[in-house]
Amino acid sequence: MAKGRAHPSKRPTHQLLLAAALSVSVLLPLLVPAAATVAVAEGDGVSALGGGNQLAVGKDEGKLVTEGGAGGGGSVEEDEFAGGFGSLDSMLQWAIGNSDPEKLKEEAADAQKLSEDELLKRRQEIKELMEKLKMPSDADLMKIAIDDLNNSSISLEDRQRALQELLVLVEPIDNANDLDKLGGLLPVIQELNNANEEIRTTSAWVLGTASQNNELVQNQILGYGALARLVKMGYSTSTEEAAKALYAISSLIRNNVNGQEAFHSENGSAMLQHILVSNNIDVRLQKKAVFLVTDLADFQLNSGIAQLPFLSDRLFLKSIVNMLSRFDLDLQEKVLLAIKSLLKLSSTDVEDYEFYDLNNVLLRLGVQLEDLTPEDQKEFAVEVDALRREVQTLFQQKLKQAHS
């Protein structure tokens, strides 16, 4: 299997060491007071590193994505030998820490003896070297990752690395908007069908990150028909795959009428209900599902548009109410918030909640919160109980209105 090609961000070690050495021998002495008296012609594009100024050597230089396990979030760290000097200052810090102090003194003394012309020449050498070491733009890095995704011969490891790079690159909204222009959105969507679970999971993660609070990208992804595949992934027995699929779905349909209609058309409510009622589902995934229900209900309340039918479906509501029997304070709080929002919908038939004995469920929850809560969770339990009382009052008000 072909190896992934070397990326521009992975610069040769000897170049970086040369830059660091030049920094020590030329730039470090310029920081001492004696060197400050040497006049340097302005306009050459290089700062004297005084007053906190730094010479930029490339945008977000040295940022590499690392994956902390299948369910870990992407993180960014500096790696000197992969191009991790974000500025001349950081290069100097590295060089100082890896140099002989006595030799540094000698270099500083020699540099102070240089003439103005010699200093200018040495500074120009540094400038030219730093230009050669510049990081490519975000767009260039995105193109490289996209090319890798389009290369059917690369290894799974390199394919995963390309997706992880895109995961970081699409966080800024401008980069996310460029993903489709650069031809990258469709290849990422196609990876949702990859036989490898980790590839599918990361692809969903990229789509969720790119579309979050971004109507343009939301509609682009919806236009490619990716929602259907994401809904199917929500049934996955892998908690991580299902969680990232649910994250992508939430990002796609949040505050997006077309997305919510498509979610309903793809029977997304059945996927949510599957997560809510299954005993072997990780509670963290159930919390995400309940949070999405609340988000959808709140959007219906605030937008005034036609409400999603499944939010008033009897069986769906039953699965929500039954979640209150799970003794997990965080889950119970999220379920109470969902019920509170659902009760406010004009399409809600409060008698459905009466049918499922919501009032007694809430009373039993109150007893549980008072008597069975561990000591270290008492404060949180008080907050949850206050929310429980609020939901109970709202429910009784709605019942009174319905029976009057």
Side-chain angles (χ1 to χ4, degrees), residues 26-40 108-115 119:
V26 179
L27 295 177
L28 181 60
L30 295 178
L31 296 175
V32 300
T37 60
V38 180
V40 178
D110 291 342
Q112 291 180 46
K113 297 175 183 177
L114 295 176
S115 68
L119 277 174

Side-chain angles (χ1 to χ4, degrees), residues 387-400:
L387 178 60
R388 178 196 66 82
R389 294 172 186 274
E390 186 179 350
V391 171
Q392 191 166 29
T393 299
L394 177 62
F395 174 59
Q396 291 170 348
Q397 289 174 346
K398 297 278 285 188
L399 268 182
K400 185 176 180 180

Side-chain angles (χ1 to χ4, degrees), residues 222-337:
L222 291 169
Y224 283 121
L227 187 60
R229 177 60 188 149
L230 289 168
V231 169
K232 290 180 181 178
M233 288 172 63
Y235 287 96
S236 175
T237 55
S238 163
T239 297
E240 298 306 330
E241 181 175 4
K244 289 301 185 288
L246 195 55
Y247 165 66
I249 291 169
S250 299
S251 295
L252 275 176
I253 69 177
R254 180 166 290 125
N255 299 328
N256 189 304
V257 176
N258 294 332
Q260 292 177 17
E261 290 177 350
F263 182 72
H264 177 60
S265 299
E266 297 295 342
N267 202 19
S269 59
M271 181 269 294
L272 287 179
Q273 192 165 351
H274 164 76
I275 292 173
L276 294 174
V277 302
S278 298
N279 292 326
N280 59 342
I281 295 289
D282 192 302
V283 69
R284 293 172 298 173
L285 189 57
Q286 292 178 324
K287 292 175 184 179
K288 292 177 184 295
V290 173
F291 185 83
L292 177 56
V293 171
T294 306
D295 190 68
L296 291 172
D298 287 342
F299 179 75
Q300 308 294 309
L301 285 169
N302 297 327
S303 66
I305 64 171
Q307 294 169 8
L308 295 170
F310 72 83
L311 291 178
S312 56
D313 177 80
R314 265 197 169 193
L315 290 177
F316 187 79
L317 296 177
K318 181 178 186 297
S319 64
I320 296 289
V321 173
N322 288 346
M323 296 295 288
L324 288 175
S325 63
R326 297 282 302 274
F327 192 68
D328 181 298
L329 284 177
D330 187 43
L331 175 63
Q332 289 167 335
E333 180 189 42
K334 286 178 170 56
V335 172
L336 287 169
L337 288 170

Side-chain angles (χ1 to χ4, degrees), residues 29-81:
L30 295 178
L31 296 175
V32 300
T37 60
V38 180
V40 178
E42 294 184 357
D44 62 356
V46 182
S47 167
L49 290 177
N53 293 327
Q54 297 177 344
L55 172 64
V57 294
K59 184 176 182 180
D60 294 328
E61 184 152 12
K63 290 191 175 181
L64 300 175
V65 181
T66 58
E67 182 71 15
S75 62
V76 177
E77 62 181 21
E78 277 198 354
D79 181 352
E80 289 99 342
F81 294 151

Side-chain angles (χ1 to χ4, degrees), residues 195-246:
N196 182 274
E197 177 191 313
E198 189 176 10
I199 297 293
R200 297 194 303 270
T201 301
T202 309
S203 300
W205 197 356
V206 173
L207 295 176
T209 301
S211 60
Q212 195 167 39
N213 301 315
N214 189 327
E215 186 177 6
L216 173 65
V217 179
Q218 285 176 334
N219 291 332
Q220 288 171 343
I221 297 174
L222 291 169
Y224 283 121
L227 187 60
R229 177 60 188 149
L230 289 168
V231 169
K232 290 180 181 178
M233 288 172 63
Y235 287 96
S236 175
T237 55
S238 163
T239 297
E240 298 306 330
E241 181 175 4
K244 289 301 185 288
L246 195 55

